Amino acid sequence: MSNEQQVRIYNPSEEMVKNAAVSGMDGYRALCKEAEDDYEGFWGRRAKELLDWKEPFTQVLDESNAPFFKWFADGKLNVSYNCLDRNVNNGLGDKVALIFEADNGDVTKVTYKDLLARVSKFANALRGMGVKKGDRVVIYLPMSIEGVVAMQACARVGATHSIVFGGFSAQALRDRIEDAGAVALITSDGQHRGGKALPLKPIADEALSLGGCDTIKNVVVVKRTGGDCNIVAGRDVWFHDACEGQSEVCEPEWVEAEHPLFILYTSGSTGKPKGVQHSSGGYLLQAVLSMKYSFDIKLDDIFWCTADIGWVTGHTFISYGPLACGATEIVFEGVPTYPDAGRFWKMIQDHKVTIFYTAPTAIRSLIKAADNNPAVHPTKYDLSSLRLLGSVGEPINPAAWQWYYDNVGGGRCPIVDTFWQTETGAHVITPMPGATPMVPGSCTLPFPGIQAAVVDETGTEVPWGQGGILVIKRPWPSMIRTIWGDPERFKKSYYPEDFKGKLYLAGDGAIRDVETGYFTITGRIDDVLNVSGHRMGTMEIESALVAHEKVAEAAVVGRPDDVTGEAIVAFVVLKGPRPTGDEAAAVIKELQNWVGHEIGPIAKPKDIRFGENLPKTRSGKIMRRLLRQLAKGEDVTQDTSTLENPHILEQLKG
Ligand code: 6R9
């Protein structure tokens, strides 16, 4: 945040302070102190209180083989039991667990009792196929009830699932199946998105035909779109046929707390995706704790996380966290812009959503849509049910934060800007909605028990106000356990020698506010630019650009420069049409001056290019490495298989 930007502070309402799980800053500080004074006791007490154990643990943390930490290692539990059976046993059987809204608007409600029955039937079907504890099962499904059922059923029989996002290609699916050595694949005939039926099974078939997938013995196919579907005799079975006649009772497989619940592939700094391996006990504990502390979940809440189950956010905040809390949640099949860009707001209105959790990229695109079409502006809908908003996935620029706060939250709802990663499993830096005064653009303070810090290249903590590298000093229960099949890469990536193997390296830069100690994430470390010896977060420049009235979205990267070390290149999407010629030249000048005014002349982008959109992965992340190649004037050589909108590369060539 530049000094020139006015910092506004938003205090939680009195009502929030009074009723929230973490009440007031005193409440927050007391939790932090409890963890500081007795780290293992802090986590151990919560693990006992918040999870049901088949066999209690006697040791909280085992650091003997660091950085391969173990939590609650001699305890046994089952994640699906904790998400389903215990809610049914506690009188929540008839409570709605899932409200599924299909792409076409059809709504299906599933109670806890019903969900337990569905999961048990499919778990029995999996057992019948020979799937057992420790086997890997790849799930390649759209957003669906069956997607959640499949994950829970794997957990129930002790199989380790690995979800591959439904937008990934056959090659990407094949690579993940091979790396995981999966015995079964669960997919669907197709998926509905934006009014279209898209095939999925043909992609799965292609993946399996590419070689390296011999470990797959069974393919289960959910019927979603109907129509022709290739079913290979002896290998493929319809999901409904597999469940037919199965018992609604299925004894859970009691597993050790460290048993791998899932592997989730995520991009690293190299081309090959990393299979991030998570545990059962520690992971579930922090999924629950994030629901309780960051989202202040209560039994009468209607919780909606818009992420896909193919990403970690969908794991922790759709498939596991809300269910383990006995919450009612929305599962949405479609896209935010169909039938129009008011879809999210209409769904909040229809289902009386109380907690809404989405990504800055979605907010920015809906700002643009609302500017162009007042009919889909959030203020046109009744959003009075909302009491809390969340943001995740990337830093939220203050302008988008403010719009979200004013227009979606009606100036009433706190925004929890939750910083975390696939590797952290759950929130690590985030406001507590009934405690932390919020500052737009800052994820504020560490989750109680998380010892986050900002350090220099040698691992020494830097003073507040000075940018550096974000690390976590002590292991935490929901952390990554290893990279599947590659423990050396795990150590190198996350516990590097530079820090003597003692600090978890998040891969992001951060700066703490001089007065409050609040964290602001400055972007991935490889996104920090050095222009004439000045360190600058690309996010800071993007934020300034987006604050300009004409700009809808911006991404900034560095390009090597003979004089200044690096030069700033900005890729910009305007709210109006994409300008060309003289008009473009005029807007470029205007934006350069604007950034110069907002941050300082040093931050002025040297080169500004306009596109109708930015290159994004299907999960909505801007592909910065690709932008860097474009900025340098190079041909794009990197893999673009995860790119949602390849045609805009041409526009951004410059
Ligand atoms: C949960 C998730 C992780 C990376 C992370 C950081 C960025 C996520 C953020 C944020 C600033 C936030 N990120 N949340 N940056 N503020 N609130 O997104 O996991 O897909 O693994 O991405 O996303 O750069 O390192 P994942």
Side-chain angles (χ1 to χ4, degrees):
M1 224 171 294
S2 80
N3 296 334
E4 284 150 58
Q5 260 171 325
Q6 270 265 304
V7 178
R8 287 186 70 176
I9 296 177
Y10 294 81
N11 287 304
S13 68
E14 263 174 47
E15 199 193 333
M16 263 289 173
V17 175
K18 204 167 94 209
N19 299 319
V22 181
S23 176
M25 282 308 274
D26 289 348
Y28 169 73
R29 286 195 202 96
L31 288 172
C32 295
K33 180 156 190 320
E34 183 192 339
E36 225 157 84
D37 293 348
D38 177 13
Y39 195 67
E40 294 192 24
F42 173 86
W43 293 113
R45 281 187 286 281
R46 280 157 186 80
K48 280 193 186 125
E49 183 200 332
L50 297 171
L51 302 181
D52 275 24
W53 296 86
K54 183 71 173 173
E55 283 171 30
F57 55 88
T58 59
Q59 189 185 13
V60 173
L61 171 61
D62 175 359
E63 301 188 77
S64 60
N65 188 27
F68 300 93
F69 301 104
K70 291 183 180 159
W71 286 87
F72 320 118
D74 61 348
K76 281 193 166 180
L77 80 173
N78 180 279
V79 167
S80 148
Y81 178 90
N82 273 274
C83 293
L84 304 172
D85 309 57
R86 75 163 167 168
N87 290 319
V88 173
N89 298 343
N90 288 340
L92 298 179
D94 292 323
K95 180 176 178 175
V96 173
L98 307 181
I99 302 173
F100 174 71
E101 183 163 318
D103 188 53
N104 69 2
D106 286 354
V107 173
T108 311
K109 295 185 179 178
V110 184
T111 64
Y112 273 96
K113 213 161 54 189
D114 186 14
L115 189 58
L116 173 58
R118 291 186 190 219
V119 168
S120 298
K121 282 183 151 202
F122 188 53
N124 283 326
L126 286 174
R127 274 201 181 131
M129 292 169 199
V131 175
K132 55 182 192 315
K133 181 182 171 194
D135 286 345
R136 275 82 59 212
V137 173
V138 166
I139 299 175
Y140 184 58
L141 280 175
M143 287 295 284
S144 54
I145 296 168
E146 289 81 4
V148 176
V149 168
M151 293 166 83
Q152 287 283 343
C154 286
R156 198 160 190 93
V157 302
T160 299
H161 61 66
S162 183
I163 316 259
V164 177
F165 175 61
F168 273 124
S169 66
Q171 185 64 42
L173 176 59
R174 188 218 76 91
D175 292 349
R176 286 155 178 77
I177 290 172
E178 183 182 46
D179 192 78
V183 300
L185 171 66
I186 305 168
T187 185
S188 68
D189 55 353
Q191 56 181 330
H192 294 287
R193 275 174 80 83
K196 293 192 210 85
L198 309 167
L200 209 58
K201 182 62 166 43
I203 306 174
D205 284 339
E206 191 193 335
L208 295 177
S209 74
L210 289 173
C213 300
D214 302 342
T215 48
I216 295 280
K217 299 287 174 266
N218 293 281
V219 177
V220 183
V221 188
V222 174
K223 187 175 259 176
R224 181 65 191 128
T225 48
D228 289 346
C229 181
N230 173 41
I231 293 288
V232 178
R235 186 195 74 180
D236 302 359
V237 58
W238 287 106
F239 182 91
H240 56 267
D241 288 339
C243 292
E244 177 77 38
Q246 297 288 353
S247 166
E248 291 184 359
V249 177
C250 175
E251 174 67 10
E253 179 80 32
W254 304 103
V255 300
E256 310 75 41
E258 281 298 313
H259 179 71
L261 177 64
F262 66 88
I263 302 164
L264 183 57
Y265 287 85
T266 187
S267 335
S269 46
T270 70
K272 189 178 175 332
K274 304 188 267 200
V276 172
Q277 180 182 319
H278 276 285
S279 69
S280 297
Y283 170 78
L284 191 66
L285 170 62
Q286 281 194 255
V288 169
L289 216 50
S290 294
M291 289 298 300
K292 288 201 182 295
Y293 289 179
S294 318
F295 289 129
D296 185 40
I297 191 79
K298 301 279 200 286
L299 278 177
D300 54 359
D301 274 314
I302 310 282
F303 181 83
W304 184 13
C305 164
T306 67
D308 191 284
I309 51 167
W311 312 116
V312 75
T313 307
H315 283 58
T316 305
F317 295 103
I318 295 177
S319 302
Y320 294 113
L323 297 175
C325 294
T328 297
E329 65 171 331
I330 312 279
V331 176
F332 177 42
E333 178 183 44
V335 297
T337 47
Y338 177 81
D340 60 39
R343 183 69 182 267
F344 276 3
W345 322 132
K346 181 164 187 318
M347 283 180 63
I348 292 171
Q349 172 178 288
D350 290 351
H351 300 296
K352 302 203 165 35
V353 171
T354 59
I355 305 175
F356 180 65
Y357 190 32
T358 195
T361 182
I363 297 166
R364 286 194 300 266
S365 74
L366 295 176
I367 295 175
K368 189 177 175 187
D371 282 350
N372 290 332
N373 175 11
V376 297
H377 199 278
T379 51
K380 293 282 169 8
Y381 299 79
D382 177 6
L383 306 182
S384 59
S385 56
L386 287 171
R387 68 181 195 90
L388 213 162
L389 303 173
S391 172
V392 62
E394 51 181 317
I396 179 164
N397 48 294
W401 192 102
Q402 197 67 50
W403 185 91
Y404 192 31
Y405 185 79
D406 293 338
N407 298 293
V408 182
R412 298 182 325 274
C413 307
I415 298 177
V416 287
D417 176 1
T418 61
F419 170 83
W420 61 296
Q421 311 174 294
T422 303
E423 293 89 341
T424 67
H427 296 165
V428 291
I429 307 180
T430 174
M432 302 285 112
T436 321
M438 295 164 292
V439 172
S442 168
C443 52
T444 74
L445 294 169
F447 197 92
I450 299 291
Q451 300 195 357
V454 182
V455 301
D456 64 17
E457 288 74 10
T458 66
T460 312
E461 233 165 295
V462 300
W464 291 3
Q466 193 177 314
I469 301 164
L470 180 68
V471 296
I472 303 177
K473 294 194 281 189
R474 297 206 66 177
W476 63 100
S478 66
M479 68 185 297
I480 174 176
R481 293 306 193 262
T482 187
I483 292 174
W484 179 260
D486 201 346
E488 273 313 305
R489 189 172 175 202
F490 164 76
K491 272 209 249 184
K492 266 214 239 109
S493 307
Y494 302 110
Y495 283 91
E497 274 310 311
D498 305 359
F499 300 154
K500 304 185 182 58
K502 295 275 185 232
L503 301 173
Y504 168 82
L505 176 70
D508 285 285
I511 184 165
R512 302 189 68 169
D513 183 79
V514 183
E515 275 150 39
T516 57
Y518 276 15
F519 288 77
T520 290
I521 304 298
T522 49
R524 298 293 299 190
I525 292 173
D526 37 14
D527 291 336
V528 173
L529 308 183
N530 192 324
V531 183
S532 305
H534 296 268
R535 221 179 204 198
M536 228 160 5
T538 50
M539 281 299 156
E540 203 177 356
I541 305 165
E542 290 171 12
S543 195
L545 283 166
V546 177
H548 188 280
E549 55 173 355
K550 288 188 183 154
V551 176
E553 193 158 25
V556 169
V557 299
R559 171 177 79 199
D561 187 281
D562 287 348
V563 180
T564 55
E566 275 186 304
I568 301 165
V569 183
F571 297 89
V572 172
V573 184
L574 295 183
K575 285 176 183 163
R578 174 176 179 259
T580 50
D582 287 351
E583 202 204 334
V587 185
I588 287 169
K589 262 254 114 41
E590 191 180 338
L591 293 180
Q592 283 170 329
N593 289 336
W594 169 264
V595 174
H597 175 74
E598 285 286 289
I599 304 174
I602 188 74
K604 272 192 188 182
K606 189 164 181 181
D607 186 348
I608 297 185
R609 303 177 194 176
F610 299 105
E612 282 157 10
N613 202 340
L614 297 173
K616 288 178 189 153
T617 64
R618 288 169 209 267
S619 69
K621 284 213 164 65
I622 296 166
M623 298 182 78
R624 285 166 197 284
R625 274 194 291 158
L626 199 151
L627 288 177
R628 261 180 238 120
Q629 283 195 313
L630 288 172
K632 280 192 248 175
E634 292 171 2
D635 285 332
V636 171
T637 51
Q638 79 171 88
D639 176 27
T640 52
S641 62
T642 58
L643 185 60
E644 170 103 304
N645 43 11
H647 72 278
I648 52 138
L649 295 186
E650 220 30 62
Q651 299 179 347
L652 297 172
K653 268 189 177 157

